[in-house]
Amino acid sequence: MNAHALAVLEFPRLLELVAARATTELGAERVRALSPTTDRDWLDREHTRVTAMRSAIAGEQPWYPEPVPDLRKALGRLRVEGLGWSGTELLGAAQLLRSSRRTQESLASDKRPAMVVAVLGPLLSRLFVAKAEEEAIERTLQEDGTVRDDASPALRRIRRELRAAHGELIRILERAMERLESHHRVQDASVTVREGRYVIPVRREGRGAVGGIVHGASQTGGTLFVEPPAAIEFGNRIRELEAEDDEEVDRILRELTDRLRPHRAELGATLEALAELDALFARARYAREFACTSAPLTAARRGFALRRARHPLLLARAAAEGSDVVPFDLAMDPGERTLLVSGPNTGGKTVLLKAVGMISAMAQAGIPAPVDEESAIPMFDDIYADVGDEQSIEASLSTFSAHLKNLSEVLRLATADSLVLVDELGSGTDPTEGAALGWAILEELTGRGTTTIATTHLGTLKELATQVDAVVNASLQFDAVRLAPTYRLIKGVPGRSYGISIARRLALPEPVVARAEERLPQQERDMAALLEQLERREAELAEREREAALIADDARRRIHDVMRREQNVRAREREAEKQARQDARRYLLDARAEIDRTIRQLKQAGAEQLEEQGRAARRQAEQLAQRQGSELDRLDREEANAARRLQPRGPAAAARGAEPPSEGDSVAVGTLGGKRGRVMALRGRDAVVAVGPLKLTVPLATLTKVDAPPPEAVVALHGDMPDVEARSEIDLRGMRVDEIDAVLMQALDAAVRADLKSLRIIHGKGMGVLRAHVAELLQKDTRVTNQRLGAWNEGGTGVTVAEF
């Protein structure tokens, strides 16, 4: 578009204002490069993308751009094979890949609105993600761009030797300093570096005593920096190791660069996409900050409507000062082509003029404008502006000549789809001639169908609307009492100049003011009286509109009160329904607890009966065992006596028998058919043997030692067991609050039916939401007698223990 008009409208200042909202220089450059266009497809796409970005930065998880390094020059060098990047550039590449990955993860998330993902999807698809290359660079380089010691085995070895060589060299130099005679030493001297070599400071007269190579002197010349002969070899070795270090570092950097070289195009596209996202972020952020909208664009010939419009630069200044900007409404029908605005100075005419042009330029550059959504912004093929004093001494142009030069260009280039802005039309020359020229210019532009907005003080031009179709008068309201502007645009009524009224207000001598009024032509005075009458009627109409608005507001408040009361009734109904559901649920829980208590009582009664029966059975078994034991003891004694009578006398017989058993031995009892037992005690020729649950006293002669131990006793218990599978703990981690009710209730039911004493509920620590909900459920359950947080060895605050 016309660069002169954009400069007059201060459009570059607006771009700087928007660019300041970008987070990177690349994004700011994209904003500064914006320019008004008539490409409707591009405009629709840009405004849709800005709307999507506004949604992204205003959601539950506001998006903020990631850092974007400027790698444009470095990416250009990737075309050259074998050329490596510096460590700083490689760190920039890692940052670019990291920003690309994080941006894609954030903006393509399922938590974003579908519109955001769909609209910004083409940009996100250009982002290149290479986690392996990103991690390889981060593993190899430190934050300052230097290569880490462990980047390769060779570099680790070289740097280890370098450190050792540095340490040994410093020790050699320190010993050399200690050997110096006192009059050759420099006080508070230490090992230093000159010309890349480690040296020691020596007084000039001690140079011959040290020998070696001089690598410099102090400013006074009294001190020489000498590398002793013993240090030269180590210094050379250090130089060799440093050269090896440089070669290995260059190799590592080239290797990392070679990993990126095949992806040069993808990296370039990623850089552009991230810069574009940042530019969209800047525009969306500006739009949110100043309540701008992407109102629909309309063809200039079809008219337009700006609702609650504000000048963007004035809006920014007011925000910085903490003041307000008075919005204006301006609408032009398709049959209205020229708007002639008149009124006093300082009334805001020039601001209005520039605001209309700026709003159209903003919208046509893809930037939301400070208007309401009900607006329809005109779209022009070009904008022409003759605003302000553009006189030039060097070009020999007076103010009037500069105006004529601009108007000549307007008449030569303006079309029916153009916007022409002219400030103070007809000024700078004789009023009669200026009015005649202004009349002719406006008549020509109106005949072409050009949208024209002009301001003037000339009374003659105010009559143009009565004689030329499609010309409309307008004025900016002025408070005649306070003699201060109100900045309210009134369409269809020309404005008064208030020059004489302002002169009287500023204490100009009254005789002078009176003579000035007498000098006014009668036609001017009649026109002023008519305008004053129209303004008075306009004020009365405005007052009536305010009264009607108050009545309408009162009616709306009453309707709102009725609706609010209806909403309250519905809310109480919903609360009552909710309370009824809770009461029903509580009743079911109480019924379930009563049933569980009854089951426990029945089981307890059955268990007591079984236990009593078991005790009676055990008493009968013990009595029977005692009787059998007594009978067996009697038989054993008789059998032992018979054996003794038959047993041969004397030691020989004992020698022929087997070795008698000892306490604790496993034996076979002959009197019981060889049943196995264990010797508990020896009583002369008898022994007490445990055979299963019985203890018997039998003759030693009836026992035979065996190696195998007797089989262990097995006790089988029979009784009622729970018919449910119960766990002593459940894990609720990873569940939502609305998912745990059913799971926890089932676990409580199973634990109660299984007669468990407690249940361990694992809910994790986190934000404490699950823990609070579990505590609420347990508090409502009458079967739970106590609940507590886990001890230090039970999981702490991540666990709740319910006791029944």
Side-chain angles (χ1 to χ4, degrees):
M1 280 197 172
N2 189 307
H4 172 264
L6 294 179
V8 167
L9 295 175
E10 299 179 279
F11 187 70
R13 281 186 58 195
L14 171 74
L15 294 181
E16 285 294 338
L17 189 67
V18 179
R21 271 72 185 167
T23 62
T24 66
E25 183 56 30
L26 289 175
E29 287 182 9
R30 287 295 187 104
V31 173
R32 295 188 194 103
L34 292 174
S35 178
T37 179
T38 57
D39 187 341
R40 190 57 182 264
D41 293 337
W42 184 88
L43 290 173
D44 291 342
R45 185 192 68 188
E46 287 302 300
H47 282 288
T48 302
R49 294 202 302 181
V50 173
T51 301
M53 182 59 72
R54 291 183 69 172
S55 178
I57 66 177
E60 295 181 357
Q61 296 180 342
W63 179 76
Y64 199 82
E66 296 286 338
V68 184
D70 189 354
L71 294 178
R72 289 175 292 186
K73 293 182 179 179
L75 287 172
R77 295 204 311 274
L78 275 185
R79 295 188 181 94
V80 183
E81 289 292 335
L83 188 64
W85 279 5
S86 66
T88 304
E89 290 171 334
L90 286 168
L91 277 182
Q95 186 182 61
L96 178 66
L97 292 172
R98 182 167 55 253
S99 297
S100 175
R101 173 173 53 81
R102 290 179 177 176
T103 299
Q104 192 174 73
E105 291 172 354
S106 177
L107 286 179
S109 171
D110 295 337
K111 297 179 181 180
R112 297 286 177 196
M115 184 269 289
V116 174
V117 179
V119 173
L120 300 181
L123 273 177
L124 299 180
S125 64
R126 291 160 53 188
L127 297 178
F128 176 61
V129 177
K131 190 72 177 294
E133 281 71 16
E134 176 189 340
E135 292 177 347
I137 295 173
E138 291 175 346
R139 284 195 307 268
T140 304
L141 301 179
Q142 301 188 91
E143 293 181 357
D144 59 354
T146 57
V147 178
R148 299 179 186 271
D149 292 353
D150 57 354
S152 72
L155 188 62
R156 187 185 302 112
R157 175 190 59 80
I158 293 169
R159 291 187 174 175
R160 186 170 58 248
E161 293 181 9
L162 259 175
R163 284 191 292 270
H166 277 293
E168 182 62 26
L169 178 57
I170 290 173
R171 283 192 291 273
I172 291 173
L173 293 172
E174 287 176 344
R175 286 196 295 269
M177 289 177 63
E178 292 173 357
R179 288 195 296 268
L180 285 173
E181 296 180 5
S182 59
H183 60 281
H184 292 161
R185 294 180 187 175
V186 177
Q187 288 185 351
D188 300 328
S190 62
V191 177
T192 184
V193 178
R194 286 292 187 274
E195 299 177 357
R197 308 288 290 194
Y198 283 84
V199 296
I200 59 174
V202 180
R203 292 188 181 276
R204 179 174 291 277
E205 54 270 23
R207 163 72 179 84
V210 177
I213 302 173
V214 177
H215 289 283
S218 63
Q219 290 183 352
T220 61
T223 301
L224 300 178
F225 296 98
V226 181
E227 183 180 14
I232 292 175
E233 183 179 352
F234 272 95
N236 293 338
R237 177 56 181 159
I238 289 175
R239 285 290 183 92
E240 292 174 2
L241 290 172
E242 288 174 346
E244 292 180 18
D245 183 283
D246 292 340
E247 291 178 1
E248 181 63 15
V249 166
D250 288 342
R251 185 194 66 79
I252 293 171
L253 295 179
R254 283 197 304 272
E255 185 177 287
L256 289 175
T257 306
D258 289 340
R259 293 187 63 168
L260 297 175
R261 185 167 281 109
H263 308 299
R264 183 181 61 82
E266 291 86 347
L267 291 171
T270 298
L271 188 66
E272 292 297 318
L274 290 176
E276 186 64 28
L277 285 170
D278 190 30
L280 288 172
F281 173 81
R283 285 181 271 172
R285 186 178 174 187
Y286 170 83
R288 287 195 68 211
E289 186 175 347
F290 295 106
C292 301
T293 60
S294 293
L297 295 170
T298 182
R301 301 184 187 189
R302 297 180 181 177
F304 60 88
L306 303 179
R307 305 297 182 193
R308 292 189 59 79
R310 292 145 293 162
H311 192 291
L313 297 181
L314 189 63
L315 192 63
R317 188 178 71 182
E321 297 174 352
S323 56
D324 295 326
V325 174
V326 179
F328 67 88
D329 293 340
L330 174 60
M332 291 187 70
D333 298 331
E336 298 173 343
R337 308 312 305 154
T338 298
L339 185 71
L340 188 60
V341 184
S342 54
N345 288 324
T346 71
K349 298 190 300 298
T350 305
V351 173
L352 170 73
L353 205 70
K354 289 186 173 182
V356 175
M358 184 73 89
I359 287 171
S360 292
M362 287 178 67
Q364 289 184 239
I367 304 173
V371 295
D372 272 7
E373 294 180 352
E374 296 80 9
S375 303
I377 301 176
M379 189 170 70
F380 300 107
D381 63 357
D382 210 338
I383 298 176
Y384 302 92
D386 178 39
V387 179
D389 186 359
E390 299 186 42
Q391 68 175 341
S392 172
I393 297 176
E394 294 180 357
S396 300
L397 286 177
S398 64
T399 299
F400 182 68
S401 300
H403 283 310
L404 288 182
K405 182 176 179 295
N406 291 333
L407 293 172
S408 175
E409 182 183 21
V410 168
L411 294 173
R412 182 167 50 88
L413 300 175
T415 68
D417 294 314
S418 301
L419 172 66
V420 174
L421 305 172
V422 184
D423 192 26
E424 299 297 343
L425 181 63
S427 63
T429 187
D430 178 76
T432 304
E433 293 184 352
L437 280 172
W439 187 297
I441 290 171
L442 292 181
E443 195 171 19
E444 170 65 21
L445 292 174
T446 304
R448 292 186 193 179
T450 303
T451 302
T452 305
I453 302 178
T455 66
T456 186
H457 284 290
L458 300 178
T460 305
L461 289 178
K462 299 175 185 179
E463 302 176 9
L464 183 63
T466 62
Q467 301 185 32
V468 178
D469 292 337
V471 177
V472 182
N473 275 320
S475 61
L476 282 164
Q477 195 177 48
F478 196 80
D479 191 329
V481 178
R482 297 185 298 111
L483 293 180
T486 64
Y487 304 110
R488 181 168 176 264
L489 181 68
I490 303 175
K491 186 179 172 184
V493 178
R496 290 190 290 160
S497 295
Y498 291 93
I500 293 178
S501 300
I502 294 174
R504 182 176 282 114
R505 180 67 176 270
L506 294 178
L508 205 66
E510 182 58 32
V512 175
V513 175
R515 283 198 299 271
E517 286 181 333
E518 294 174 357
R519 296 293 298 173
L520 281 176
Q522 186 62 40
Q523 184 179 2
E524 291 287 339
R525 280 183 281 178
D526 293 343
M527 175 67 73
L530 177 60
L531 292 177
E532 183 179 0
Q533 184 180 2
L534 288 174
E535 289 177 2
R536 189 166 51 251
R537 291 182 179 179
E538 179 69 23
E540 293 174 357
L541 180 60
E543 182 63 26
R544 292 181 182 179
E545 288 179 351
R546 281 194 293 272
E547 293 175 357
L550 290 175
I551 295 173
D553 289 341
D554 183 62
R556 280 194 293 269
R557 278 196 301 272
R558 294 182 180 181
I559 294 173
H560 179 70
D561 291 341
V562 172
M563 294 177 65
R564 188 174 64 252
R565 287 196 294 270
E566 184 179 356
Q567 290 174 355
N568 292 337
V569 171
R570 292 179 180 177
R572 286 196 294 271
E573 290 176 352
R574 287 194 296 269
E575 185 64 28
E577 184 181 355
K578 179 181 178 181
Q579 187 63 39
R581 287 198 299 269
Q582 292 177 350
D583 293 343
R585 184 175 182 275
R586 190 180 303 107
Y587 173 77
L588 290 175
L589 289 174
D590 294 342
R592 182 184 296 172
E594 183 64 29
I595 292 171
D596 289 339
R597 279 194 297 271
T598 303
I599 292 173
R600 284 200 303 273
Q601 292 172 0
L602 292 175
K603 286 185 177 181
Q604 184 176 1
E608 292 174 354
Q609 184 177 0
L610 289 173
E611 186 176 356
E612 181 61 32
Q613 293 175 357
R615 283 196 295 268
R618 282 195 294 273
R619 285 195 298 270
Q620 294 175 3
E622 289 173 356
Q623 293 172 1
L624 179 61
Q626 290 175 358
R627 288 196 299 271
Q628 289 176 347
S630 299
E631 184 65 23
L632 287 173
D633 287 343
R634 185 183 61 79
L635 293 174
D636 288 342
R637 284 193 296 274
E638 290 179 355
E639 185 175 357
N641 292 332
R644 281 196 295 273
R645 289 194 297 272
L646 295 174
Q647 196 171 31
R649 302 295 179 182
R656 290 193 299 268
E659 181 182 0
S662 303
E663 288 186 8
D665 289 343
S666 298
V667 295
V669 184
T671 58
L672 296 180
K675 286 186 176 296
R676 297 182 180 185
R678 186 180 298 276
V679 178
M680 305 300 293
L682 295 176
R683 298 176 181 174
R685 293 182 178 183
D686 296 334
V688 179
V689 182
V691 180
L694 302 177
K695 291 182 181 180
L696 307 175
T697 302
V698 298
L700 280 170
T702 62
L703 301 178
T704 304
K705 287 181 65 175
V706 294
D707 295 330
E712 295 180 0
V714 178
V715 180
L717 299 178
H718 299 277
D720 291 338
M721 297 295 290
D723 56 353
V724 297
E725 179 184 358
R727 293 178 295 170
S728 60
E729 72 175 24
I730 59 170
D731 193 347
L732 304 178
R733 289 175 296 182
M735 298 184 183
R736 297 193 304 270
V737 173
D738 57 348
E739 293 177 339
I740 69 173
D741 291 23
V743 177
L744 181 56
M745 293 307 299
Q746 291 177 3
L748 291 172
D749 294 344
V752 169
R753 290 200 298 272
D755 204 21
L756 298 181
K757 298 300 182 185
S758 63
L759 177 64
R760 184 167 175 264
I761 305 166
I762 305 173
H763 44 64
K765 298 178 181 179
M767 301 297 292
V769 178
L770 285 182
R771 180 174 67 241
H773 193 63
V774 167
E776 181 183 359
L777 292 177
L778 295 178
Q779 186 177 4
K780 295 179 180 178
D781 199 324
T782 57
R783 299 171 296 179
V784 178
T785 59
N786 183 39
Q787 57 170 302
R788 61 179 176 83
L789 295 177
W792 66 271
N793 58 351
E794 292 178 322
T797 58
V799 170
T800 296
V801 179
E803 298 174 355
F804 305 105

